[in-house]
Amino acid sequence: MPSNDDAQRNHVVEFFSTRHGDLSSTLPMLETASELEPALRDLIHSLTLRHREIQELDKLTLRITAGALLDDILDYVYTHFDQIIPYNRIGLALIEDNGQTVLSRWARSHHDNIRLGPGYAAPLEGSSLQTIIQTGQPRIINDLERYLADKPESQSTRLIVAEGIRSSLTCPLNVNGLPVGFIFFSSDTPNTYSAVHSDLFLRIADQLSIIVDKGNLVSELAAHQNEIERQNVELRHLNELKNEFVGMAAHDLRNPIASIQMMAQLLLEPLDWMADEDRRGLLQDMLSQTQHMLALLTELLDVTQIESGRLDLNLRQVQMDAFMARAVKRHTQLAAPKGTQVILEAVDSGYLNADPVRLRQAIDNLISNAVKYSPAGSTVRVSARQTGAEWRVSVRDEGPGITPRDRERLFQDFARLSAQPTGGESSTGLGLAITRRVVDAHGGVLDVDSEPGSGADFWFTLPAS
Ligand SMILES: Nc1ncnc2c1ncn2[C@@H]1O[C@H](COP(=O)(O)OP(=O)(O)O)[C@@H](O)[C@H]1O
Ligand SMILES: [Mg+2]
């Protein structure tokens, strides 16, 4: 016949079992009723602990699913797990380099003198951590000072003791049966850890390991995400620049088209309405507007072609004296109506390895600017000298020069600055931007020396061969 105590025990077991699973082994056989109360207290204590464990792990799992980063997860462990395992410090190290290195990945401590912090790396081979991996069991050292006296070669023990740590519980982390790292619980007090704690750890180890693994993945994903975000910002910026560019180009083409349209409408009126002279004037205007549009379109195509990386240089040996003489001659003729002189001041005879079409474009841009922005009747001086392995081409004018403010934008697309054409020439703001790209592509440098008010000296250097 069962005793009264046995009946009470069975009743308790049944009561808790309905809520917490089978507990018959957890509750010891009781000799007398007086033992029931402390036994129950123990039971409730361990149930509370277990409940807390489950709660904390649930919260952690929630964080993982919500995509928290490894560091956040570890921080959470650090601030919430002291109810489960005592510590003054928690560290995490991961096994890297195909199992060769243990790398300290994270550490939080009640002390602020962390010496064995993130980034600390040591070979796994031959270390005591290797034994932990082999046994798969947590290791407790309850007197680190004595441990260090026995193993003075252990650098990591030395560092941790210097932080004030006296006992430690080192727990292996495995994912799919493979060791991935370690969690170190450490305490300032000797003899902090016992089998209770390592058992506790073993119960939560799988989940922690997965967390570390997932957390790792999440960190990697976050790094990728950052990179993608960075590229997005860059692309958005490029897109804005492109829109701005298209906007300016469209604006520049709209005005001449609108005025050509207007003039064409006028010319469609009955013939006797307008004097021949006026009619010619309108046609002349239309012609110069279309010339401007054509020049603009050619330059636009040039910019886009160069920008999309299709500036294929067709390199030749360019005989510089003849080349420069022809360039100056072209502009002498163009500048004559303005009374502006273009003179070839100095040129070395020799060869330059360059794409002649692009080189001509660069030089034409500089000389035409010098003529365009200088007062009528002034002089433009051109030179091309070779010094050592370098050619230096220079175009000097007597125009308004470049203000420091204009200088900042001078070589950008659509930079129409304070200097205005002095003879009604057209201006797109693309010439210098193209020249810069051409000189760049040849491996040279384009720049300007100028005292505002006393002319500009635009020059570029190119490697001779
Ligand atoms: N030699 C120069 N002297 C003074 N200002 C200049 C000179 N060359 C260029 N600039 C200024 O720089 C701007 C950009 O020149 P550029 O890119 O060649 O375009 P564009 O000549 O079609 O306007 C010009 O609008 C002008 O204001
Ligand atoms: Mg120009």
Side-chain angles (χ1 to χ4, degrees):
M1 177 128 176
S3 73
N4 207 21
D5 284 350
D6 279 350
Q8 255 182 310
R9 176 184 181 275
N10 288 341
H11 181 71
V12 170
V13 168
E14 206 182 289
F15 173 81
F16 281 103
S17 297
T18 49
R19 287 163 174 74
H20 304 287
D22 182 19
L23 292 167
S24 47
S25 60
T26 319
L27 198 64
M29 288 300 280
L30 300 167
E31 296 294 322
T32 60
S34 58
E35 287 176 14
L36 186 60
E37 195 197 317
L40 265 182
R41 214 182 295 130
D42 278 358
L43 177 63
I44 288 170
H45 177 72
S46 81
L47 280 176
T48 316
L49 207 64
R50 177 118 185 96
H51 179 65
R52 237 179 244 153
E53 269 171 56
I54 293 168
Q55 257 188 336
E56 291 305 345
L57 281 174
D58 275 355
K59 283 192 210 154
L60 259 187
T61 315
L62 254 178
R63 268 157 206 265
I64 303 288
T65 359
L69 300 184
L70 179 58
D71 286 19
D72 298 339
I73 291 155
L74 291 169
D75 279 342
Y76 186 82
V77 170
Y78 180 74
T79 40
H80 290 81
F81 272 48
D82 56 352
Q83 301 279 344
I84 308 177
I85 301 179
Y87 52 81
N88 296 100
R89 176 195 211 280
I90 304 183
L92 171 90
L94 295 180
I95 299 171
E96 313 249 320
D97 290 345
N98 289 326
Q100 304 208 4
T101 312
V102 187
L103 177 70
S104 166
R105 171 74 173 69
W106 174 94
R108 286 278 302 269
S109 169
H110 296 173
H111 308 293
D112 49 15
N113 64 336
I114 293 188
R115 299 186 186 202
L116 203 160
Y120 179 86
L124 181 61
E125 171 110 31
S127 75
S128 61
L129 294 175
Q130 212 175 15
T131 333
I132 298 179
I133 290 180
Q134 276 153 12
T135 62
Q137 294 300 312
R139 178 195 62 185
I140 292 170
I141 302 177
N142 264 327
D143 188 345
L144 279 166
E145 281 180 311
R146 215 179 61 211
Y147 182 85
L148 183 61
D150 291 345
K151 288 189 115 201
E153 72 281 2
S154 172
Q155 187 61 23
S156 53
T157 311
R158 186 174 303 280
L159 291 172
I160 210 92
V161 167
E163 286 184 20
I165 298 301
R166 293 297 174 262
S167 49
S168 71
L169 167 65
T170 306
C171 306
L173 296 171
N174 296 292
V175 172
N176 301 328
L178 291 174
V180 291
F182 305 91
I183 286 210
F184 309 90
F185 294 89
S186 346
S187 155
D188 295 354
T189 330
N191 300 312
T192 300
Y193 300 106
S194 67
V196 174
H197 301 118
S198 43
D199 285 353
L200 257 171
F201 174 78
L202 284 177
R203 254 189 273 165
I204 61 172
D206 286 348
Q207 215 148 342
L208 266 182
S209 298
I210 293 166
I211 285 164
V212 166
D213 196 47
K214 269 197 183 172
N216 245 344
L217 266 183
V218 173
S219 304
E220 271 170 40
L221 277 178
H224 280 135
Q225 215 167 342
N226 282 345
E227 175 58 18
I228 289 171
E229 187 51 36
R230 196 191 59 73
Q231 286 177 359
N232 269 348
V233 168
E234 203 170 294
L235 281 177
R236 269 201 296 273
H237 178 65
L238 279 179
N239 198 40
E240 272 165 26
L241 281 182
K242 191 205 74 188
N243 285 343
E244 202 181 312
F245 186 85
V246 170
M248 288 201 255
H251 175 264
D252 272 30
L253 288 171
R254 202 172 189 279
N255 290 345
I257 289 176
S259 73
I260 289 171
Q261 191 186 30
M262 213 179 64
M263 291 186 276
Q265 265 162 357
L266 278 177
L267 289 168
L268 273 178
E269 297 287 318
L271 281 173
D272 54 354
W273 181 81
M274 201 187 290
D276 268 2
E277 202 184 316
D278 294 337
R279 190 179 302 278
R280 275 188 70 81
L282 281 180
L283 286 168
Q284 198 64 55
D285 249 12
M286 288 169 77
L287 190 64
S288 80
Q289 300 272 27
T290 51
Q291 276 164 349
H292 172 74
M293 290 199 303
L294 200 62
L296 175 61
L297 277 177
T298 312
E299 288 186 335
L300 275 175
L301 287 176
D302 251 1
V303 171
T304 48
Q305 193 189 10
I306 294 172
E307 276 307 278
S308 57
R310 279 180 287 136
L311 181 59
D312 295 328
L313 293 182
N314 212 340
L315 296 176
R316 299 260 187 289
Q317 289 297 321
V318 178
Q319 198 187 349
M320 283 302 275
D321 46 3
F323 188 84
M324 293 305 295
R326 279 198 300 277
V328 167
K329 192 168 164 207
R330 277 195 302 278
H331 287 280
T332 307
Q333 286 161 2
L334 288 170
K338 212 172 175 178
T340 300
Q341 274 196 61
V342 183
I343 56 174
L344 184 57
E345 210 175 37
V347 66
D348 285 331
S349 62
Y351 289 87
L352 168 61
N353 193 30
D355 181 329
V357 176
R358 293 296 179 184
L359 183 64
R360 174 179 159 165
Q361 192 179 17
I363 291 169
D364 280 354
N365 267 327
L366 295 188
I367 303 180
S368 68
N369 277 355
V371 174
K372 195 194 316 188
Y373 297 107
S374 301
S378 60
T379 305
V380 173
R381 294 178 170 81
V382 182
S383 71
R385 311 298 304 258
Q386 184 179 12
T387 41
E390 199 173 75
W391 277 91
R392 189 180 202 274
V393 175
S394 143
V395 178
R396 231 162 2 109
D397 65 43
E398 299 167 349
I402 309 293
T403 64
R405 228 176 128 222
D406 281 356
R407 202 177 225 284
E408 287 166 24
R409 295 200 40 224
L410 195 61
F411 299 108
Q412 293 175 7
D413 297 336
F414 294 104
R416 267 165 297 193
L417 306 171
S418 49
Q420 304 283 318
T422 53
E425 295 98 330
S426 80
S427 155
T428 62
L430 288 171
L432 286 174
I434 292 172
T435 309
R436 176 179 54 83
R437 289 175 171 94
V438 167
V439 172
D440 273 358
H442 280 85
V445 176
L446 167 70
D447 209 345
V448 60
D449 297 326
S450 173
E451 285 271 323
S454 56
D457 178 4
F458 278 87
W459 55 264
F460 61 85
T461 57
L462 293 185
S465 54

